[in-house]
PDB file of all heavy atoms in Angstrom:
ATOM      1  N   GLU A  17      -4.838   5.298 -50.351  1.00 98.00           N
ATOM      2  CA  GLU A  17      -5.252   3.990 -50.863  1.00 98.00           C
ATOM      3  C   GLU A  17      -6.547   3.506 -50.224  1.00 98.00           C
ATOM      4  O   GLU A  17      -7.399   2.899 -50.893  1.00 98.00           O
ATOM      5  CB  GLU A  17      -4.133   2.967 -50.611  1.00 98.00           C
ATOM      6  CG  GLU A  17      -4.424   1.571 -51.133  1.00 98.00           C
ATOM      7  CD  GLU A  17      -4.490   1.492 -52.646  1.00 98.00           C
ATOM      8  OE1 GLU A  17      -3.878   2.354 -53.310  1.00 98.00           O
ATOM      9  OE2 GLU A  17      -5.161   0.562 -53.155  1.00 98.00           O
ATOM     10  N   SER A  18      -6.729   3.788 -48.944  1.00 98.00           N
ATOM     11  CA  SER A  18      -7.886   3.253 -48.213  1.00 98.00           C
ATOM     12  C   SER A  18      -9.189   3.983 -48.530  1.00 98.00           C
ATOM     13  O   SER A  18     -10.272   3.475 -48.232  1.00 98.00           O
ATOM     14  CB  SER A  18      -7.631   3.345 -46.703  1.00 98.00           C
ATOM     15  OG  SER A  18      -7.615   4.707 -46.270  1.00 98.00           O
ATOM     16  N   GLY A  19      -9.083   5.177 -49.086  1.00 98.00           N
ATOM     17  CA  GLY A  19     -10.283   5.972 -49.340  1.00 98.00           C
ATOM     18  C   GLY A  19     -10.613   6.932 -48.211  1.00 98.00           C
ATOM     19  O   GLY A  19     -11.525   7.767 -48.344  1.00 98.00           O
ATOM     20  N   GLU A  20      -9.867   6.868 -47.098  1.00 98.00           N
ATOM     21  CA  GLU A  20     -10.107   7.778 -45.971  1.00 98.00           C
ATOM     22  C   GLU A  20      -9.822   9.224 -46.356  1.00 98.00           C
ATOM     23  O   GLU A  20     -10.497  10.152 -45.895  1.00 98.00           O
ATOM     24  CB  GLU A  20      -9.245   7.365 -44.781  1.00 98.00           C
ATOM     25  CG  GLU A  20      -9.615   6.025 -44.176  1.00 98.00           C
ATOM     26  CD  GLU A  20      -8.577   5.541 -43.183  1.00 98.00           C
ATOM     27  OE1 GLU A  20      -7.445   5.213 -43.614  1.00 98.00           O
ATOM     28  OE2 GLU A  20      -8.899   5.491 -41.982  1.00 98.00           O
ATOM     29  N   TRP A  21      -8.818   9.413 -47.200  1.00 98.00           N
ATOM     30  CA  TRP A  21      -8.466  10.756 -47.661  1.00 98.00           C
ATOM     31  C   TRP A  21      -9.630  11.367 -48.451  1.00 98.00           C
ATOM     32  O   TRP A  21     -10.010  12.522 -48.218  1.00 98.00           O
ATOM     33  CB  TRP A  21      -7.207  10.680 -48.533  1.00 98.00           C
ATOM     34  CG  TRP A  21      -6.747  11.991 -49.092  1.00 98.00           C
ATOM     35  CD1 TRP A  21      -5.872  12.869 -48.518  1.00 98.00           C
ATOM     36  CD2 TRP A  21      -7.131  12.581 -50.342  1.00 98.00           C
ATOM     37  NE1 TRP A  21      -5.695  13.960 -49.330  1.00 98.00           N
ATOM     38  CE2 TRP A  21      -6.450  13.814 -50.457  1.00 98.00           C
ATOM     39  CE3 TRP A  21      -7.974  12.182 -51.371  1.00 98.00           C
ATOM     40  CZ2 TRP A  21      -6.592  14.653 -51.569  1.00 98.00           C
ATOM     41  CZ3 TRP A  21      -8.131  13.014 -52.466  1.00 98.00           C
ATOM     42  CH2 TRP A  21      -7.444  14.234 -52.560  1.00 98.00           C
ATOM     43  N   ALA A  22     -10.188  10.602 -49.379  1.00 98.00           N
ATOM     44  CA  ALA A  22     -11.289  11.104 -50.204  1.00 98.00           C
ATOM     45  C   ALA A  22     -12.511  11.440 -49.351  1.00 98.00           C
ATOM     46  O   ALA A  22     -13.196  12.448 -49.577  1.00 98.00           O
ATOM     47  CB  ALA A  22     -11.657  10.079 -51.272  1.00 98.00           C
ATOM     48  N   THR A  23     -12.791  10.614 -48.355  1.00 98.00           N
ATOM     49  CA  THR A  23     -13.912  10.873 -47.457  1.00 98.00           C
ATOM     50  C   THR A  23     -13.695  12.164 -46.680  1.00 98.00           C
ATOM     51  O   THR A  23     -14.617  12.977 -46.523  1.00 98.00           O
ATOM     52  CB  THR A  23     -14.089   9.704 -46.470  1.00 98.00           C
ATOM     53  OG1 THR A  23     -14.379   8.515 -47.210  1.00 98.00           O
ATOM     54  CG2 THR A  23     -15.221   9.980 -45.498  1.00 98.00           C
ATOM     55  N   ALA A  24     -12.466  12.372 -46.199  1.00 98.00           N
ATOM     56  CA  ALA A  24     -12.138  13.590 -45.458  1.00 98.00           C
ATOM     57  C   ALA A  24     -12.276  14.826 -46.340  1.00 98.00           C
ATOM     58  O   ALA A  24     -12.818  15.854 -45.912  1.00 98.00           O
ATOM     59  CB  ALA A  24     -10.724  13.494 -44.898  1.00 98.00           C
ATOM     60  N   PHE A  25     -11.819  14.725 -47.581  1.00 98.00           N
ATOM     61  CA  PHE A  25     -11.904  15.868 -48.498  1.00 98.00           C
ATOM     62  C   PHE A  25     -13.361  16.202 -48.818  1.00 98.00           C
ATOM     63  O   PHE A  25     -13.772  17.363 -48.759  1.00 98.00           O
ATOM     64  CB  PHE A  25     -11.143  15.564 -49.792  1.00 98.00           C
ATOM     65  CG  PHE A  25     -10.998  16.750 -50.715  1.00 98.00           C
ATOM     66  CD1 PHE A  25      -9.832  17.501 -50.719  1.00 98.00           C
ATOM     67  CD2 PHE A  25     -12.024  17.124 -51.575  1.00 98.00           C
ATOM     68  CE1 PHE A  25      -9.698  18.609 -51.555  1.00 98.00           C
ATOM     69  CE2 PHE A  25     -11.908  18.218 -52.408  1.00 98.00           C
ATOM     70  CZ  PHE A  25     -10.734  18.962 -52.398  1.00 98.00           C
ATOM     71  N   ALA A  26     -14.136  15.180 -49.143  1.00 97.00           N
ATOM     72  CA  ALA A  26     -15.532  15.392 -49.530  1.00 97.00           C
ATOM     73  C   ALA A  26     -16.341  16.029 -48.411  1.00 97.00           C
ATOM     74  O   ALA A  26     -17.245  16.833 -48.669  1.00 97.00           O
ATOM     75  CB  ALA A  26     -16.165  14.062 -49.943  1.00 97.00           C
ATOM     76  N   GLY A  27     -16.013  15.713 -47.172  1.00 97.00           N
ATOM     77  CA  GLY A  27     -16.776  16.239 -46.049  1.00 97.00           C
ATOM     78  C   GLY A  27     -16.342  17.611 -45.583  1.00 97.00           C
ATOM     79  O   GLY A  27     -16.992  18.192 -44.700  1.00 97.00           O
ATOM     80  N   THR A  28     -15.288  18.146 -46.148  1.00 97.00           N
ATOM     81  CA  THR A  28     -14.766  19.443 -45.700  1.00 97.00           C
ATOM     82  C   THR A  28     -14.682  20.434 -46.870  1.00 97.00           C
ATOM     83  O   THR A  28     -15.621  21.170 -47.122  1.00 97.00           O
ATOM     84  CB  THR A  28     -13.388  19.258 -45.037  1.00 97.00           C
ATOM     85  OG1 THR A  28     -12.519  18.523 -45.935  1.00 97.00           O
ATOM     86  CG2 THR A  28     -13.514  18.485 -43.737  1.00 97.00           C
ATOM     87  N   ILE A  29     -13.592  20.407 -47.612  1.00 96.00           N
ATOM     88  CA  ILE A  29     -13.448  21.296 -48.764  1.00 96.00           C
ATOM     89  C   ILE A  29     -14.502  20.970 -49.810  1.00 96.00           C
ATOM     90  O   ILE A  29     -15.047  21.869 -50.469  1.00 96.00           O
ATOM     91  CB  ILE A  29     -12.028  21.176 -49.362  1.00 96.00           C
ATOM     92  CG1 ILE A  29     -10.991  21.622 -48.330  1.00 96.00           C
ATOM     93  CG2 ILE A  29     -11.899  22.028 -50.629  1.00 96.00           C
ATOM     94  CD1 ILE A  29      -9.557  21.436 -48.777  1.00 96.00           C
ATOM     95  N   GLY A  30     -14.812  19.688 -49.961  1.00 95.00           N
ATOM     96  CA  GLY A  30     -15.830  19.285 -50.929  1.00 95.00           C
ATOM     97  C   GLY A  30     -17.182  19.896 -50.637  1.00 95.00           C
ATOM     98  O   GLY A  30     -17.971  20.156 -51.556  1.00 95.00           O
ATOM     99  N   ALA A  31     -17.477  20.144 -49.363  1.00 95.00           N
ATOM    100  CA  ALA A  31     -18.749  20.737 -48.980  1.00 95.00           C
ATOM    101  C   ALA A  31     -18.878  22.180 -49.454  1.00 95.00           C
ATOM    102  O   ALA A  31     -19.985  22.747 -49.467  1.00 95.00           O
ATOM    103  CB  ALA A  31     -18.919  20.674 -47.463  1.00 95.00           C
ATOM    104  N   LEU A  32     -17.756  22.780 -49.865  1.00 93.00           N
ATOM    105  CA  LEU A  32     -17.763  24.141 -50.389  1.00 93.00           C
ATOM    106  C   LEU A  32     -17.952  24.166 -51.902  1.00 93.00           C
ATOM    107  O   LEU A  32     -17.903  25.232 -52.519  1.00 93.00           O
ATOM    108  CB  LEU A  32     -16.450  24.848 -50.025  1.00 93.00           C
ATOM    109  CG  LEU A  32     -16.159  24.986 -48.519  1.00 93.00           C
ATOM    110  CD1 LEU A  32     -14.782  25.602 -48.301  1.00 93.00           C
ATOM    111  CD2 LEU A  32     -17.233  25.823 -47.838  1.00 93.00           C
ATOM    112  N   GLY A  33     -18.162  22.991 -52.500  1.00 89.00           N
ATOM    113  CA  GLY A  33     -18.437  22.928 -53.930  1.00 89.00           C
ATOM    114  C   GLY A  33     -17.279  22.475 -54.784  1.00 89.00           C
ATOM    115  O   GLY A  33     -17.328  22.602 -56.015  1.00 89.00           O
ATOM    116  N   VAL A  34     -16.230  21.917 -54.159  1.00 91.00           N
ATOM    117  CA  VAL A  34     -15.064  21.436 -54.904  1.00 91.00           C
ATOM    118  C   VAL A  34     -15.179  19.934 -55.097  1.00 91.00           C
ATOM    119  O   VAL A  34     -15.386  19.189 -54.140  1.00 91.00           O
ATOM    120  CB  VAL A  34     -13.753  21.760 -54.157  1.00 91.00           C
ATOM    121  CG1 VAL A  34     -12.550  21.267 -54.955  1.00 91.00           C
ATOM    122  CG2 VAL A  34     -13.650  23.247 -53.894  1.00 91.00           C
ATOM    123  N   GLU A  35     -15.033  19.485 -56.329  1.00 93.00           N
ATOM    124  CA  GLU A  35     -15.073  18.049 -56.606  1.00 93.00           C
ATOM    125  C   GLU A  35     -13.835  17.378 -56.025  1.00 93.00           C
ATOM    126  O   GLU A  35     -12.723  17.886 -56.135  1.00 93.00           O
ATOM    127  CB  GLU A  35     -15.138  17.814 -58.117  1.00 93.00           C
ATOM    128  CG  GLU A  35     -15.301  16.356 -58.509  1.00 93.00           C
ATOM    129  CD  GLU A  35     -15.453  16.171 -60.009  1.00 93.00           C
ATOM    130  OE1 GLU A  35     -15.672  17.170 -60.724  1.00 93.00           O
ATOM    131  OE2 GLU A  35     -15.345  15.021 -60.464  1.00 93.00           O
ATOM    132  N   THR A  36     -14.018  16.217 -55.412  1.00 96.00           N
ATOM    133  CA  THR A  36     -12.899  15.498 -54.809  1.00 96.00           C
ATOM    134  C   THR A  36     -11.916  15.052 -55.891  1.00 96.00           C
ATOM    135  O   THR A  36     -12.287  14.315 -56.807  1.00 96.00           O
ATOM    136  CB  THR A  36     -13.390  14.269 -54.032  1.00 96.00           C
ATOM    137  OG1 THR A  36     -14.303  14.694 -53.019  1.00 96.00           O
ATOM    138  CG2 THR A  36     -12.222  13.541 -53.379  1.00 96.00           C
ATOM    139  N   PRO A  37     -10.661  15.494 -55.796  1.00 95.00           N
ATOM    140  CA  PRO A  37      -9.682  15.145 -56.831  1.00 95.00           C
ATOM    141  C   PRO A  37      -9.038  13.792 -56.568  1.00 95.00           C
ATOM    142  O   PRO A  37      -9.300  13.141 -55.556  1.00 95.00           O
ATOM    143  CB  PRO A  37      -8.636  16.268 -56.688  1.00 95.00           C
ATOM    144  CG  PRO A  37      -8.658  16.564 -55.211  1.00 95.00           C
ATOM    145  CD  PRO A  37     -10.100  16.395 -54.775  1.00 95.00           C
ATOM    146  N   VAL A  38      -8.192  13.383 -57.482  1.00 96.00           N
ATOM    147  CA  VAL A  38      -7.358  12.206 -57.272  1.00 96.00           C
ATOM    148  C   VAL A  38      -6.244  12.592 -56.299  1.00 96.00           C
ATOM    149  O   VAL A  38      -5.672  13.681 -56.419  1.00 96.00           O
ATOM    150  CB  VAL A  38      -6.748  11.725 -58.608  1.00 96.00           C
ATOM    151  CG1 VAL A  38      -5.766  10.581 -58.374  1.00 96.00           C
ATOM    152  CG2 VAL A  38      -7.854  11.304 -59.568  1.00 96.00           C
ATOM    153  N   PRO A  39      -5.914  11.765 -55.310  1.00 97.00           N
ATOM    154  CA  PRO A  39      -4.835  12.119 -54.377  1.00 97.00           C
ATOM    155  C   PRO A  39      -3.528  12.357 -55.118  1.00 97.00           C
ATOM    156  O   PRO A  39      -3.258  11.724 -56.143  1.00 97.00           O
ATOM    157  CB  PRO A  39      -4.734  10.892 -53.465  1.00 97.00           C
ATOM    158  CG  PRO A  39      -6.051  10.213 -53.580  1.00 97.00           C
ATOM    159  CD  PRO A  39      -6.520  10.458 -54.988  1.00 97.00           C
ATOM    160  N   PRO A  40      -2.702  13.253 -54.608  1.00 97.00           N
ATOM    161  CA  PRO A  40      -1.421  13.513 -55.268  1.00 97.00           C
ATOM    162  C   PRO A  40      -0.419  12.400 -55.010  1.00 97.00           C
ATOM    163  O   PRO A  40      -0.666  11.503 -54.196  1.00 97.00           O
ATOM    164  CB  PRO A  40      -0.958  14.819 -54.592  1.00 97.00           C
ATOM    165  CG  PRO A  40      -1.559  14.749 -53.224  1.00 97.00           C
ATOM    166  CD  PRO A  40      -2.895  14.089 -53.402  1.00 97.00           C
ATOM    167  N   THR A  41       0.690  12.452 -55.695  1.00 97.00           N
ATOM    168  CA  THR A  41       1.787  11.504 -55.465  1.00 97.00           C
ATOM    169  C   THR A  41       2.702  12.070 -54.394  1.00 97.00           C
ATOM    170  O   THR A  41       3.128  13.230 -54.478  1.00 97.00           O
ATOM    171  CB  THR A  41       2.587  11.272 -56.754  1.00 97.00           C
ATOM    172  OG1 THR A  41       1.714  10.720 -57.750  1.00 97.00           O
ATOM    173  CG2 THR A  41       3.748  10.317 -56.509  1.00 97.00           C
ATOM    174  N   VAL A  42       2.997  11.281 -53.380  1.00 97.00           N
ATOM    175  CA  VAL A  42       3.904  11.726 -52.321  1.00 97.00           C
ATOM    176  C   VAL A  42       5.306  11.910 -52.893  1.00 97.00           C
ATOM    177  O   VAL A  42       5.802  11.059 -53.630  1.00 97.00           O
ATOM    178  CB  VAL A  42       3.921  10.706 -51.165  1.00 97.00           C
ATOM    179  CG1 VAL A  42       5.060  11.006 -50.199  1.00 97.00           C
ATOM    180  CG2 VAL A  42       2.587  10.721 -50.429  1.00 97.00           C
ATOM    181  N   ASN A  43       5.924  13.033 -52.551  1.00 92.00           N
ATOM    182  CA  ASN A  43       7.264  13.347 -53.039  1.00 92.00           C
ATOM    183  C   ASN A  43       8.274  13.043 -51.938  1.00 92.00           C
ATOM    184  O   ASN A  43       8.427  13.806 -50.995  1.00 92.00           O
ATOM    185  CB  ASN A  43       7.344  14.829 -53.437  1.00 92.00           C
ATOM    186  CG  ASN A  43       8.711  15.203 -53.986  1.00 92.00           C
ATOM    187  OD1 ASN A  43       9.613  14.376 -54.077  1.00 92.00           O
ATOM    188  ND2 ASN A  43       8.876  16.459 -54.348  1.00 92.00           N
ATOM    189  N   ARG A  44       8.958  11.921 -52.045  1.00 88.00           N
ATOM    190  CA  ARG A  44       9.923  11.518 -51.020  1.00 88.00           C
ATOM    191  C   ARG A  44      11.299  12.105 -51.338  1.00 88.00           C
ATOM    192  O   ARG A  44      12.253  11.389 -51.649  1.00 88.00           O
ATOM    193  CB  ARG A  44       9.985   9.994 -50.926  1.00 88.00           C
ATOM    194  CG  ARG A  44       8.694   9.370 -50.403  1.00 88.00           C
ATOM    195  CD  ARG A  44       8.755   7.851 -50.420  1.00 88.00           C
ATOM    196  NE  ARG A  44       7.541   7.276 -49.870  1.00 88.00           N
ATOM    197  CZ  ARG A  44       7.363   6.979 -48.577  1.00 88.00           C
ATOM    198  NH1 ARG A  44       8.329   7.219 -47.707  1.00 88.00           N
ATOM    199  NH2 ARG A  44       6.227   6.469 -48.163  1.00 88.00           N
ATOM    200  N   TYR A  45      11.370  13.419 -51.239  1.00 80.00           N
ATOM    201  CA  TYR A  45      12.625  14.099 -51.573  1.00 80.00           C
ATOM    202  C   TYR A  45      13.683  13.816 -50.510  1.00 80.00           C
ATOM    203  O   TYR A  45      13.384  13.522 -49.353  1.00 80.00           O
ATOM    204  CB  TYR A  45      12.399  15.603 -51.712  1.00 80.00           C
ATOM    205  CG  TYR A  45      11.967  16.291 -50.435  1.00 80.00           C
ATOM    206  CD1 TYR A  45      12.907  16.773 -49.526  1.00 80.00           C
ATOM    207  CD2 TYR A  45      10.615  16.469 -50.140  1.00 80.00           C
ATOM    208  CE1 TYR A  45      12.516  17.394 -48.365  1.00 80.00           C
ATOM    209  CE2 TYR A  45      10.217  17.085 -48.973  1.00 80.00           C
ATOM    210  CZ  TYR A  45      11.167  17.550 -48.090  1.00 80.00           C
ATOM    211  OH  TYR A  45      10.776  18.160 -46.926  1.00 80.00           O
ATOM    212  N   ALA A  46      14.945  13.945 -50.903  1.00 69.00           N
ATOM    213  CA  ALA A  46      16.049  13.713 -49.977  1.00 69.00           C
ATOM    214  C   ALA A  46      16.237  14.919 -49.081  1.00 69.00           C
ATOM    215  O   ALA A  46      15.827  16.035 -49.410  1.00 69.00           O
ATOM    216  CB  ALA A  46      17.330  13.438 -50.759  1.00 69.00           C
ATOM    217  N   GLY A  47      16.854  14.705 -47.927  1.00 63.00           N
ATOM    218  CA  GLY A  47      17.132  15.805 -47.016  1.00 63.00           C
ATOM    219  C   GLY A  47      18.060  16.829 -47.665  1.00 63.00           C
ATOM    220  O   GLY A  47      18.850  16.502 -48.546  1.00 63.00           O
ATOM    221  N   THR A  48      17.976  18.065 -47.172  1.00 61.00           N
ATOM    222  CA  THR A  48      18.761  19.150 -47.791  1.00 61.00           C
ATOM    223  C   THR A  48      19.716  19.806 -46.806  1.00 61.00           C
ATOM    224  O   THR A  48      20.010  20.983 -46.907  1.00 61.00           O
ATOM    225  CB  THR A  48      17.813  20.219 -48.377  1.00 61.00           C
ATOM    226  OG1 THR A  48      16.910  20.662 -47.351  1.00 61.00           O
ATOM    227  CG2 THR A  48      17.027  19.657 -49.537  1.00 61.00           C
ATOM    228  N   GLY A  49      20.209  19.046 -45.828  1.00 65.00           N
ATOM    229  CA  GLY A  49      21.206  19.589 -44.914  1.00 65.00           C
ATOM    230  C   GLY A  49      20.600  20.198 -43.666  1.00 65.00           C
ATOM    231  O   GLY A  49      19.427  20.044 -43.368  1.00 65.00           O
ATOM    232  N   ALA A  50      21.458  20.909 -42.930  1.00 70.00           N
ATOM    233  CA  ALA A  50      21.039  21.499 -41.662  1.00 70.00           C
ATOM    234  C   ALA A  50      20.049  22.634 -41.876  1.00 70.00           C
ATOM    235  O   ALA A  50      20.050  23.298 -42.909  1.00 70.00           O
ATOM    236  CB  ALA A  50      22.262  22.009 -40.905  1.00 70.00           C
ATOM    237  N   ALA A  51      19.230  22.851 -40.877  1.00 75.00           N
ATOM    238  CA  ALA A  51      18.213  23.890 -40.974  1.00 75.00           C
ATOM    239  C   ALA A  51      18.809  25.272 -40.802  1.00 75.00           C
ATOM    240  O   ALA A  51      19.751  25.475 -40.039  1.00 75.00           O
ATOM    241  CB  ALA A  51      17.140  23.667 -39.919  1.00 75.00           C
ATOM    242  N   THR A  52      18.273  26.228 -41.537  1.00 79.00           N
ATOM    243  CA  THR A  52      18.585  27.630 -41.342  1.00 79.00           C
ATOM    244  C   THR A  52      17.662  28.169 -40.265  1.00 79.00           C
ATOM    245  O   THR A  52      16.469  27.873 -40.258  1.00 79.00           O
ATOM    246  CB  THR A  52      18.376  28.413 -42.638  1.00 79.00           C
ATOM    247  OG1 THR A  52      19.219  27.861 -43.652  1.00 79.00           O
ATOM    248  CG2 THR A  52      18.700  29.888 -42.451  1.00 79.00           C
ATOM    249  N   SER A  53      18.202  28.946 -39.330  1.00 75.00           N
ATOM    250  CA  SER A  53      17.359  29.480 -38.262  1.00 75.00           C
ATOM    251  C   SER A  53      16.410  30.531 -38.794  1.00 75.00           C
ATOM    252  O   SER A  53      16.757  31.315 -39.685  1.00 75.00           O
ATOM    253  CB  SER A  53      18.232  30.098 -37.162  1.00 75.00           C
ATOM    254  OG  SER A  53      19.027  29.103 -36.552  1.00 75.00           O
ATOM    255  N   VAL A  54      15.217  30.538 -38.241  1.00 68.00           N
ATOM    256  CA  VAL A  54      14.222  31.542 -38.601  1.00 68.00           C
ATOM    257  C   VAL A  54      14.351  32.705 -37.642  1.00 68.00           C
ATOM    258  O   VAL A  54      14.319  32.519 -36.422  1.00 68.00           O
ATOM    259  CB  VAL A  54      12.797  30.959 -38.527  1.00 68.00           C
ATOM    260  CG1 VAL A  54      11.764  32.024 -38.828  1.00 68.00           C
ATOM    261  CG2 VAL A  54      12.666  29.808 -39.511  1.00 68.00           C
TER     262      VAL A  54
END
């Protein structure tokens, strides 16, 4: 919302020739139980 994300993108990945996109929608998914060990 603040525009800090767009500034960060433009100065990094954007410098490689990628147009700054619209920020994505945060996915507030529910927890899925205990972790499986790696």
